[in-house]
Amino acid sequence: MLGTGEAGPGRGGHRGVRVSATIGMAFGGIMLSACTSTVGGAGVPAPGEVAVYRSEVSASAAAQVRAEGVELCRESMSSMVVMLRGYNTFIKRLNTTHSYPEVGDLADKARASLIAGADQIRPKITDTSPPEIASPARTFLDATTRLENAIRKELRTELNPVSGQWTRDKARLLEVCGEYTPVPAASSATPRTSVPAGPAPTSPGR
């Protein structure tokens, strides 16, 4: 006796097997189709999303550039205080003696303060620093080098124009930094009013 669900011999039985196989294949095809179906859409962000992303990136980059500008300005102003302290002490003595030998080690101390200040500012100037600050900062460093060299060579009369240019370049840098951070008090960022910005010797000298 045939068990329940078994197909008997004959054409009818084989046809039943074929029908079952056909149904199985059809069902499998449906499942395969369902598994391989994709979600509609182009797969790219909407134009509005791109605009928002670009805006966020631009804002972040701008904030980073400004932060570097603030850092450069703060270091510049802090270093100027060191530079001026040594330079003003030296120039006051030179204006009194009109002689480098009588200045003693104040000339070396002035040079050291100029070099130290420049060494603090220079690393803060990077490729991503705001150009409106980086450019006058480089100009100020160049003027600082010329002033240091003038003192090293013990120039007197010729020190006036070099010192004057250094003072103007310093003022320019402070001016642009005013847009990024508050400028320190005049007593610490500029030469004291009682001390000339450069020597004014009347006797001949180098």
Side-chain angles (χ1 to χ4, degrees):
M1 174 182 289
L2 295 174
T4 305
E6 294 181 357
R11 297 174 61 186
H14 291 295
R15 185 166 52 250
V17 173
R18 286 196 297 270
V19 170
S20 298
T22 301
I23 293 174
M25 291 174 64
F27 180 74
I30 293 173
M31 291 297 294
L32 180 61
S33 175
C35 292
T36 58
S37 62
T38 59
V39 178
V44 296
E49 295 176 347
V50 173
V52 170
Y53 172 76
R54 288 177 176 172
S55 177
E56 291 176 349
V57 170
S58 297
S60 177
Q64 179 61 32
V65 169
R66 182 171 183 82
E68 291 195 21
V70 170
E71 183 64 21
L72 174 55
C73 283
R74 286 177 175 172
E75 186 58 59
S76 296
M77 291 186 289
S78 175
S79 297
M80 285 176 186
V81 174
V82 176
M83 293 176 174
L84 285 163
R85 185 178 296 123
Y87 179 73
N88 282 341
T89 302
F90 153 73
I91 208 66
K92 182 178 181 180
R93 180 64 177 168
L94 183 62
N95 280 338
T96 300
T97 64
H98 301 288
S99 169
Y100 270 87
E102 294 183 32
V103 167
D105 65 349
L106 293 181
D108 290 336
K109 289 181 178 178
R111 290 179 55 223
S113 67
L114 292 171
I115 293 172
D119 286 345
Q120 292 298 313
I121 297 172
R122 193 171 291 107
K124 300 298 182 180
I125 304 176
T126 68
D127 293 338
T128 53
S129 296
E132 63 270 22
I133 297 179
S135 180
R138 291 189 181 96
T139 300
F140 174 68
L141 290 180
D142 290 341
T144 299
T145 298
R146 288 192 294 272
L147 181 60
E148 186 270 323
N149 285 334
I151 298 173
R152 178 176 56 81
K153 295 177 181 178
E154 297 187 356
L155 301 181
R156 289 174 54 192
T157 305
E158 298 88 339
L159 190 59
N160 276 315
V162 177
S163 175
Q165 186 60 55
W166 180 74
T167 300
R168 288 189 293 273
D169 291 337
K170 175 178 59 63
R172 175 55 183 161
L173 179 55
L174 288 174
E175 179 183 354
V176 297
C177 279
E179 299 295 325
Y180 282 77
T181 186
V183 177
S187 59
S188 61
T190 58
R192 292 168 295 178
T193 55
S194 60
V195 180
T202 56
S203 59
R206 287 179 292 176

